[in-house]
Amino acid sequence: MQRIGVFVCHCGSNIAATVDVKKVVEMVLLEPGVVHAEDYQYMCSEAGQAKIGAAIADKKLTGIVVCSCSPRMHEATFRKCAERYGLNPYMVEIANIREHCSWIHKDMQEATEKAVILARAAIAKVNLNAPLQAGESRVTKRALVIGGGIAGIQTALDIADAGYEVDIVEKTPSIGGRMSQLDKTFPTLDCSACILTPKMVDAAGHPNINIYTYSEVEKVSGFVGDFTVDIRKKARSVDATKCTGCGVCQEKCPSKKTPSEFNRGLGNRSAIYTPFAQAIPNVPVIDREACLKFKTGKCGVCEKVCQAGAIDYAQQDEIITEKYGAIVVATGFDTIKLDQYDEYAYNQSKDVITSLELERIMNAAGPTKGHLERLSDGKAPKEIVFVQCVGSRCSDDRGKPYCSKICCMYTAKHAMLIRDKYPDVNVTVFYIDVRTPGKNFDEFYRRAVEEYGVNYIKGQVGKVAPQPDGSLLVQASDLLDNKQIKMKADMVVLATAIEPNQGVRNIATMLTASIDTNNFLTEAHPKLRPVESPTAGVFLSGVCQGPKDIPETVAQAGAAAVKVIGLLAKDKLTTNPCTAKPDELLCNGCGNCAKVCPYGAITYEVRQVNDHGIREDRRLANVNSALCQGCGACTVTCPSGAMDLQGFSNRQLIAEVDAICR
Amino acid sequence: MQELKNRAIELLENGTVARVLGWKIGENTYDPEPAFFDSVEAMKDFVYNNFCAANLSKYMIEASKLEGKTLVCLKPCDSYSFNQLVSDHRVDREKAYIIGVGCKGKLSIEQIKKSGVKGILSVTDSDPIQVETLYGNKELPYTAGMLSRCFSCKGKEHVVYDELIGESAETSTVDRFDEVRRIEAMTPEEKFAFFQAELSKCIRCNACRNVCPACNCRKCVFDGNKFDSAQKANVDSFEEKMFHIIRAFHVAGRCTDCGECSRVCPQGIPLHLFNRKFIKDINTLYGEYQAGADPEAKGPLTSFTTEDAEPSIVSKGGIV
C-alpha cells in the first residue's frame, strides 16, 4: 500500500476563490492510501516545496498528489522537488484543479466537488504508480531549418554563429522567400532586397551553413536529439558545380511563356530560370514541364550555349539522408486564393490586384520595371482604391477568422509611396479598423494620412464592377458618415489575407508537430514557450506559427535559434522513462503495434515463454526503450492489452476513470 | 464430395499432410461439425455438404503448432479469414495445405425452420431442398434455407489455396450495407433502443468470440485480471453496453465479414451489423478495403498516410 500525501494549492486566488481548498483537504484524507493532506497558498514556491519535502520525510510518503495547475505548467517542478527530497519523481501525479476546474467554473460548490473528484482520480493512479528510472540519449550536433526565407536564414545564421552546423532546406530554386519579393519595408522604407541579400550572401558563405535549394523534406524519423531526415534534392538539370551563373542559357531559352512564380504570374520567365537576379545559389533550374527538350526531345539550346557544360538533362532527383539534433520549421506564408471573393472582380479584371502583386509592380526589377501602371492597358492610374481585410477577420468560411497583422502597415506604405512618387494620383483606403501597434508604426500611418493626404474611409467595399470604359466601379459604405459611396477607380488593390504555406500540413505531420485549425503550427505554450512546438526538438520560426512582420520574424528566428543552441550544447538528454512495455504472456505476436509505431521502436522476435507451465516458442513484441517516445499508439492498437505504457498503464487509466465515476 | 475425400485420403497416405481439418458427419444431414482427421481410418466420418457452413480457418491456430502440415478445407469466404490470420501471425501458411472447396451458398437448419417448416424429420442439401416432416414431405427452394450472409457473398474466388476442388457460385443478391444504412437512418434514440433490445438477449455464452477468426488473442481482455475487467463483466447490462461494442472495436480493420458471429449466436443477435458498420466507415474514410484479401496489405487502421481522414470528422458528428 502506498503512503500518499496530497498537496492542495490555492494558486493565490486562482484556485482558492472558486474551490474550497480546506474541504478538498478534508475529503481527500478519506481516500485509500492517503496519510497526509494540506493546503498552501503557492505550492510551487520555495516554501510550498519545503512543505512537500517535510511531509515526505515526516510521514514517510511513497507517493504524492499535487492539486494545482496543469501538469504542463508545473509537473516538472514537482517531480524535481520530489527527487530532491528522496522520492522517485515518477511517484508524483498532478490533479489539474485550475485549468480543468476553478478557471471554468463559477459555482464554488460544484467546483469543489469536481476538484475532489479530480484529486481522487490522481490518488487512484498514484496507488498503482511504480518508480521509474530515466535513461539517456545522445544529441546530434546539427540542426535542420525547413524554409529559406528571412525566418529560416536568420535562424540558420544564429545557430551557425554559435558554432553548430545547420542545413537549410528550401523548396524553391533560391533562398530569400517572401521578403525577396517585397519592394520596400515599413516603417523605415528601406529597400527589402538591400537588407535581405547581404543576409542571403552571409548564409551562403557561412562555413557552418549548408543550403539545399529546390529540395524538400521527404521523411522524418527519430526524436529530439536524434532525428533522421530524408531530403529530396530535386533534379535541377544543371550541374551546380560547373555552372558559372552567366545567365546566357536563360537569355537564349526559346520557351519563355511560363508565368513567373516570383512575379506572382504578372510576367513570364524562361523554362531554364533563376527566380530573380540575386538568387542564391545563382544556378538556374530547368522547369521540365515547360522545357521543349523534355516535352518534345528537340531543342537543347541551353546545352549548346553553356560554355561551362553545366546542363545535365539526365540529372535525377537525389535523396540525402542526414541526422539532426533539432529541427526548425520556417515555412512561411502565402496569400489566400481569392476564388471565393467574386465581389472584388479579382478574376475578371487585370486591374484588381493583390498587395503582393503591387509589391512586384512597384519593384524596379518587377514586370513593369517599377512603373505604376494598369496591367490591362499599361496606362498610368489616376485613382487607386485599397481594400483592407480581404479575407482577414472574416466570420464565414470564405476567409480567415484572424487578423493578418501586416496589411494595415503595408497598405499605409503603398499609399504613401504612391502619393510620394505620383502626387497626382488619388489614393483611397477602405478599412474596418487601422491597427498599428509597434514601434514607429502609428506615426507611420499618421504620416500617410496627414502628410501624404491618403484618403482613409472606414467601411467595407461591397462590390468592384469592371466598366465598359475599362475603369472599375467601386461600391462601398462610409460608416462614419453613414452613407453609401460609388466611385470610379483605375486600379483596386486587395490587402489579401495571409495563410501558412501549402505543404505545412505535410511537414507538421512528418514531424508530429501539432497545427491549429488555420494550419498555423502550435507553440508549446502561447506565452512562455512561443518558439517551441509541443513536439520536443521541433522549433518554430516566422509566420508558420502566426502572422507577423519582418522585425518580429527576425526576433522569433533568433529566439528559435537560441533554443536550438541550448539543445545542441548538451551532450546527452534525459529520456522519458514512460515507455511501452509488453506483457509476454498476453502478446499475440500479431505485429499491429510495430505497424503503428511512428518511431520504429518495436521489433519482433521468437522467444521461449513459460505460460503457466506450458513452454513454447512464441513470436513476441520487443520495445527498444531508447527509441520509444511513449506516445501510446501501440497500447491502444494491441487487442489483447499486452502492451502497456509505463506510468500510464491501462490499469492506471481505468483506475482513474473508476475513481471519477464512483 | 467424394473427389475431395479421395484427394484428402491420398494426401494423408502419401504423407503430404499429417491430418485433415474438415467436417465430421453429424446425426443428421444438417449438423456436420468441424473436426480433425488424423488417419485414413478416421476419414470414414468425413463429410462435405451444403450444411458445412463453419469457417475452419481459426482451427489452424492450433494446427500450426502441430508437427507436419494440416490439410484444411476452405470455402471462398473462409480463405479471407485464413489470410487475415496469416497477417496477424497467428497461423503459419507453411503449415497448411489448403484445398479450396466449392461453395454455392450454405444452408442452415435454423433458416429452414424460420421459413415456417415444423416437425422436421430429415432434410436434403439438394436444390430444391426436400424436407421430410411429421406433417408430410415438403419442397423448398434452395434460397429459403440459405444463410442470410450468403445473400451478400464476397464472391466465388478463393484468395489463397494450394488446389481447388468443386464448383463455386456467386450467391450475392443484396448490398451488404443495406441493413447498416437502415440503422444509420434511425435517430440516436431509435438506434439505442434497437441495439439495447438486440443485445439484451445476449447470454454471454461467448460463442461469437470463440468462433470469430479475428478474435484470436491468446487471452481475451475480458478473461484477464489485468484490468479488473472480469469484475466489471458482472455489472448489469454489461453485454448490452460494453462487451459487443468493445469486441467490434477490437476486430475492426481485421474482420473479414465472414458472418460466423451471427451464424452461431444461439439468441439470433445480428452481431455482424457492428462489424459491417466499421467496414462501411473504413471504406468511406480510407477507400475500399477487404480484410484478408491480401495478407501483405497494411490495414487502414494500422497504417498512416497524409491523405487519411482528419479527426475533425468526429466533431462534425461522424459519418453516415
Side-chain angles (χ1 to χ4, degrees):
Chain A
M1 193 71 188
Q2 306 278 18
R3 293 177 58 81
I4 299 167
V6 182
F7 302 88
V8 185
C9 181
H10 298 201
C11 196
S13 62
N14 270 306
I15 293 171
T18 325
V19 170
D20 181 347
V21 286
K22 299 283 179 203
K23 179 82 179 165
V24 176
V25 167
E26 190 186 308
M27 295 298 288
V28 296
L29 276 167
L30 304 174
E31 290 298 308
V34 177
V35 295
H36 174 81
E38 66 178 301
D39 62 286
Y40 184 63
Q41 216 168 5
Y42 291 104
M43 265 313 162
C44 58
S45 68
E46 204 170 320
Q49 294 191 40
K51 280 176 177 294
I52 295 175
I56 290 173
D58 295 347
K59 302 284 173 73
K60 300 187 170 49
L61 300 181
T62 60
I64 62 173
V65 169
V66 187
C67 304
S68 59
C69 50
S70 162
R72 275 180 65 175
M73 191 76 205
H74 277 312
E75 187 178 61
T77 311
F78 292 117
R79 280 184 171 168
K80 271 187 207 139
C81 165
E83 197 169 21
R84 209 162 48 240
Y85 293 104
L87 200 61
N88 184 283
Y90 295 91
M91 296 306 290
V92 176
E93 291 298 333
I94 307 290
N96 180 358
I97 62 165
R98 192 178 78 174
E99 284 86 340
H100 283 181
C101 189
S102 67
W103 277 1
I104 51 168
H105 288 285
K106 286 200 169 71
D107 183 274
M108 191 158 204
Q109 202 182 337
E110 273 179 10
T112 305
E113 194 188 338
K114 184 168 172 184
V116 171
I117 291 171
L118 292 171
R120 216 184 257 161
I123 293 163
K125 191 177 175 209
V126 173
N127 261 311
L128 298 171
N129 273 20
L132 299 172
Q133 300 301 333
E136 280 183 339
S137 66
R138 66 191 189 94
V139 180
T140 304
K141 297 188 182 281
R142 189 185 187 92
L144 170 68
V145 175
I146 307 173
I150 181 61
I153 292 170
Q154 187 63 48
T155 305
L157 281 171
D158 288 349
I159 297 170
D161 281 346
Y164 297 103
E165 287 187 284
V166 195
D167 290 351
I168 300 176
V169 170
E170 166 60 40
K171 190 164 63 174
T172 69
S174 169
I175 57 168
R178 239 9 113 204
M179 190 174 167
S180 64
Q181 291 175 298
L182 306 183
D183 182 41
K184 299 218 164 36
T185 54
F186 62 76
T188 45
L189 298 181
D190 34 6
C191 141
S192 188
C194 309
I195 55 175
L196 174 68
T197 40
K199 279 203 183 287
M200 291 164 61
V201 173
D202 284 354
H206 202 295
N208 283 339
I209 298 180
N210 181 23
I211 301 171
Y212 296 110
T213 52
Y214 208 48
S215 301
E216 288 185 53
V217 171
E218 189 143 291
K219 193 175 154 220
V220 180
S221 59
F223 48 88
V224 55
D226 195 16
F227 293 104
T228 303
V229 180
D230 284 359
I231 298 161
R232 177 177 290 272
K233 222 177 143 190
K234 290 180 280 185
R236 268 188 125 86
S237 313
V238 176
D239 185 341
T241 58
K242 292 183 186 161
C243 174
T244 59
C246 69
V248 174
C249 54
Q250 301 183 56
E251 273 169 41
K252 302 288 180 196
C253 176
S255 168
K256 286 203 165 61
K257 289 281 166 61
T258 308
S260 154
E261 294 84 359
F262 186 76
N263 281 330
R264 306 295 292 180
L266 301 184
N268 290 337
R269 60 160 170 82
S270 45
I272 183 164
Y273 72 105
T274 45
F276 54 103
Q278 298 76 26
I280 287 183
N282 186 20
V283 177
V285 299
I286 295 182
D287 173 357
R288 293 185 175 186
E289 308 269 297
C291 173
L292 295 173
K293 176 79 180 174
F294 281 96
K295 284 203 307 196
T296 64
K298 293 174 195 140
C299 187
V301 169
C302 51
E303 192 177 26
K304 280 175 213 135
V305 300
C306 181
Q307 298 285 316
I311 307 294
D312 178 4
Y313 298 120
Q315 209 177 60
Q316 299 282 318
D317 285 7
E318 194 185 334
I319 304 284
I320 295 158
T321 304
E322 191 70 66
K323 280 192 167 285
Y324 300 100
I327 299 176
V328 182
V329 187
T331 47
F333 70 98
D334 204 342
T335 53
I336 64 164
K337 297 252 178 307
L338 290 171
D339 298 347
Q340 299 215 53
Y341 287 92
D342 279 347
E343 67 264 41
Y344 299 126
Y346 175 75
N347 289 328
Q348 286 123 59
S349 169
K350 280 187 163 182
D351 300 321
V352 179
I353 59 172
T354 68
S355 297
L356 193 50
E357 287 162 10
L358 182 65
E359 291 284 350
R360 294 313 306 147
I361 291 172
M362 306 271 279
N363 190 282
T368 60
K369 309 254 178 317
H371 296 296
L372 183 63
E373 59 188 47
R374 280 157 52 97
L375 294 172
S376 59
D377 52 16
K379 285 184 189 155
K382 292 288 163 223
E383 191 75 54
I384 300 183
V385 166
F386 284 86
V387 185
Q388 296 224 243
C389 289
V390 175
S392 297
R393 303 170 71 192
C394 181
S395 54
D396 59 39
D397 284 345
R398 297 193 302 167
K400 303 292 175 185
Y402 51 83
C403 166
S404 294
K405 200 172 182 178
I406 51 175
C407 325
C408 286
M409 285 301 290
Y410 69 59
T411 299
K413 173 189 78 177
H414 288 153
M416 194 188 285
L417 289 171
I418 289 170
R419 290 283 298 157
D420 185 50
K421 204 168 167 191
Y422 309 96
D424 58 330
V425 175
N426 284 322
V427 175
T428 307
V429 178
F430 287 95
Y431 67 96
I432 307 177
D433 296 294
V434 176
R435 297 178 164 181
T436 53
K439 193 174 175 183
N440 294 327
F441 281 15
D442 203 58
E443 296 90 322
F444 183 83
Y445 154 65
R446 298 296 331 157
R447 241 169 59 208
V449 178
E450 287 159 11
E451 286 178 31
Y452 289 88
V454 178
N455 185 20
Y456 269 77
I457 299 174
K458 186 176 174 74
Q460 264 297 38
V461 169
K463 193 170 174 61
V464 176
Q467 300 300 300
D469 66 355
S471 68
L472 299 156
L473 180 66
V474 177
Q475 296 181 1
S477 47
D478 180 338
L479 295 179
L480 296 182
D481 275 357
N482 193 23
K483 66 177 185 198
Q484 292 298 310
I485 296 174
K486 274 191 182 179
M487 61 181 290
K488 279 208 168 182
D490 303 313
M491 193 184 242
V492 171
V493 184
L494 307 175
T496 313
I498 59 172
E499 63 180 357
N501 244 328
Q502 292 288 316
V504 71
R505 269 193 102 75
N506 196 20
I507 285 171
T509 304
M510 284 193 275
L511 295 171
T512 63
S514 56
I515 43 178
D516 66 18
T517 48
N518 296 311
N519 285 354
F520 287 113
L521 281 134
T522 316
E523 54 284 359
H525 188 286
K527 281 153 261 174
L528 301 178
R529 297 174 66 191
V531 299
E532 293 157 83
S533 153
T535 304
V538 175
F539 302 89
L540 313 174
S541 181
V543 182
C544 67
Q545 177 260 339
K548 50 181 71 69
D549 59 26
I550 295 166
E552 282 179 326
T553 296
V554 171
Q556 200 201 18
V562 168
K563 294 288 171 191
V564 169
I565 295 162
L567 170 60
L568 298 187
K570 294 191 178 101
D571 291 324
K572 297 266 183 198
L573 294 174
T574 306
T575 58
N576 172 14
C578 297
T579 53
K581 195 179 177 187
D583 178 333
E584 64 175 17
L585 294 187
L586 291 181
C587 179
N588 292 326
C590 70
N592 281 328
C593 54
K595 282 185 199 157
V596 300
C597 178
Y599 305 100
I602 304 177
T603 50
Y604 275 81
E605 64 179 19
V606 175
R607 267 203 316 269
Q608 195 185 58
V609 293
N610 182 347
D611 190 350
H612 302 87
I614 301 166
R615 280 179 190 278
E616 58 182 8
D617 286 342
R618 289 184 183 172
R619 182 176 190 268
L620 299 168
N622 225 7
V623 176
N624 179 343
S625 58
L627 295 178
C628 173
Q629 295 298 296
C631 73
C634 54
T635 68
V636 291
T637 307
C638 179
S640 63
M643 196 61 96
D644 245 337
L645 197 57
Q646 297 181 91
F648 295 91
S649 69
N650 291 328
R651 201 185 163 98
Q652 284 176 303
L653 300 186
I654 290 173
E656 283 188 275
V657 174
D658 283 347
I660 289 168
C661 300
R662 197 158 72 207
Chain B
M1 203 274 266
Q2 201 55 47
E3 187 192 352
L4 174 63
K5 195 169 172 176
N6 292 344
R7 179 65 178 143
I9 289 169
E10 187 186 339
L11 289 166
L12 262 179
E13 278 180 330
N14 71 18
T16 308
V17 300
R19 67 199 67 77
V20 173
L21 172 55
W23 297 267
K24 193 167 113 182
I25 195 153
E27 280 183 46
N28 302 292
T29 323
Y30 57 76
D31 56 5
E33 58 186 49
F36 284 103
F37 305 87
D38 51 13
S39 66
V40 176
E41 160 79 335
M43 280 298 286
K44 69 176 186 331
D45 291 334
F46 181 92
V47 70
Y48 181 60
N49 67 23
N50 287 333
F51 284 98
C52 292
N55 178 351
L56 302 180
S57 56
K58 194 178 179 181
Y59 294 92
M60 282 307 297
I61 295 176
E62 286 310 309
S64 295
K65 296 178 189 167
L66 303 174
E67 281 292 315
K69 282 197 180 200
T70 302
L71 186 160
V72 56
C73 304
L74 297 179
K75 303 187 293 296
C77 59
D78 305 339
S79 65
Y80 290 87
S81 306
F82 182 91
N83 260 352
Q84 185 58 41
L85 280 158
V86 170
S87 76
D88 284 351
H89 296 276
R90 297 292 279 135
V91 159
D92 186 351
R93 175 68 183 88
E94 298 306 312
K95 287 293 191 79
Y97 187 92
I98 302 168
I99 295 192
V101 295
C103 175
K104 296 177 176 175
K106 289 298 168 200
L107 300 172
S108 148
I109 191 68
E110 301 303 325
Q111 204 60 39
I112 293 172
K113 285 179 188 164
K114 264 191 218 161
S115 69
V117 186
K118 291 200 167 57
I120 299 173
L121 295 172
S122 75
V123 294
T124 66
D125 71 334
S126 56
D127 181 7
I129 307 164
Q130 308 295 337
V131 191
E132 185 194 343
T133 78
L134 287 168
Y135 318 103
N137 292 346
K138 275 193 178 157
E139 191 178 282
L140 286 176
Y142 192 83
T143 50
M146 206 159 79
L147 280 165
S148 59
R149 72 179 189 204
C150 296
F151 290 99
S152 49
C153 171
K154 275 194 283 292
K156 57 180 183 178
E157 306 299 332
H158 291 80
V159 287
V160 60
Y161 59 86
D162 292 302
E163 61 179 283
L164 294 173
I165 293 177
E167 290 277 298
S168 292
E170 235 172 279
T171 54
S172 195
T173 53
V174 297
D175 182 338
R176 63 174 172 156
F177 297 127
D178 281 350
E179 281 175 288
V180 178
R181 284 189 199 96
R182 185 173 59 79
I183 295 164
E184 284 173 346
M186 292 179 182
T187 64
E189 293 75 23
E190 287 168 345
K191 274 181 207 170
F192 189 77
F194 170 80
F195 280 112
Q196 198 170 37
E198 288 292 347
L199 297 178
S200 61
K201 295 184 218 159
C202 174
I203 55 173
R204 267 311 290 289
C205 67
N206 285 338
C208 52
R209 186 185 83 180
N210 295 348
V211 78
C212 174
C215 258
N216 57 40
C217 288
R218 291 182 200 281
K219 187 165 196 175
C220 176
V221 281
F222 293 111
D223 295 342
N225 53 8
K226 204 175 171 192
F227 322 112
D228 306 321
S229 47
Q231 52 169 298
K232 289 198 181 66
N234 292 329
V235 175
D236 292 346
S237 79
F238 173 75
E239 293 80 15
E240 287 168 33
K241 301 212 171 72
M242 287 178 78
F243 177 74
H244 294 289
I245 292 163
I246 291 175
R247 209 183 76 78
F249 268 98
H250 279 199
V251 301
R254 297 183 299 120
C255 168
T256 64
D257 198 11
C258 74
E260 286 285 87
C261 46
S262 294
R263 183 183 71 85
V264 299
C265 180
Q267 297 293 84
I269 305 170
L271 293 164
H272 65 282
L273 289 178
F274 284 122
N275 305 326
R276 283 208 180 145
K277 168 63 177 165
F278 273 102
I279 292 168
K280 181 169 176 280
D281 285 358
I282 287 169
N283 286 351
T284 310
L285 293 171
Y286 304 103
E288 292 283 323
Y289 177 73
Q290 171 61 54
D294 171 13
E296 301 297 318
K298 263 194 155 191
L301 299 187
T302 50
S303 60
F304 174 72
T305 72
T306 45
E307 281 78 47
D308 277 358
E310 292 291 332
S312 61
I313 59 150
V314 176
S315 61
K316 284 173 187 160
I319 50 165
V320 171

